[in-house]
Amino acid sequence: QVQLVESGGGLVQAGGSLRLSCSASGIFFSASHMTWYRQAPGAQRELVARISMGGSTNYADSVKGRFTISRDNAKKTVNLQMSSLKPEDTAVYYCNAVYQFNDALEFWGQGTQVTVSA
């Protein structure tokens, strides 16, 4: 069965760095677009960063220059390297996968908490 598992969240001081990882199983990972979303309490879910099957990337304006998304198709993982973290980055971060040949095949991880202290 398809499973996405996020890891790497935790507490960090403002200005610090954190690396999130999403491990996939039971999915055609190399043929899937991978996206990190986040949701703060009481706020709407927002797209943070996306990497396509071909490796093209997109970032939310709020994280450009600070976050880097990458993927390792052999390991079936997608990573999010976060630097210069701000308290506004505090949220639950979710991994999302969409199969490029059928976008009805969409999967979500359970999320990992990132808390940035001031």
Side-chain angles (χ1 to χ4, degrees):
Q1 65 187 60
V2 174
Q3 184 173 213
L4 301 176
V5 180
E6 302 96 336
S7 62
L11 294 168
V12 65
Q13 296 182 49
S17 298
L18 208 59
R19 181 178 180 271
L20 305 183
S21 182
C22 173
S23 178
S25 62
I27 187 174
F28 291 108
F29 182 85
S30 63
S32 297
H33 305 303
M34 303 298 299
T35 306
W36 285 98
Y37 291 86
R38 68 186 181 188
Q39 186 169 24
Q44 296 292 320
R45 181 186 65 190
E46 65 174 337
L47 185 151
V48 178
R50 172 168 288 164
I51 185 165
S52 73
M53 180 190 71
S56 298
T57 58
N58 291 288
Y59 297 92
D61 288 343
S62 60
V63 307
K64 286 180 180 177
R66 300 190 298 119
F67 292 9
T68 301
I69 189 170
S70 62
R71 66 190 296 160
D72 184 336
N73 288 343
K75 299 293 185 181
K76 293 186 176 181
T77 60
V78 59
N79 303 306
L80 185 67
Q81 179 65 49
M82 306 183 293
S83 62
S84 302
L85 284 162
K86 306 174 181 178
E88 290 185 359
D89 296 319
T90 296
V92 177
Y93 284 69
Y94 297 94
C95 180
N96 168 271
V98 179
Y99 184 51
Q100 79 153 3
F101 300 111
N102 184 357
D103 60 11
L105 297 178
E106 182 176 18
F107 307 96
W108 293 87
Q110 293 290 96
T112 185
Q113 177 71 49
V114 172
T115 302
V116 184
S117 63

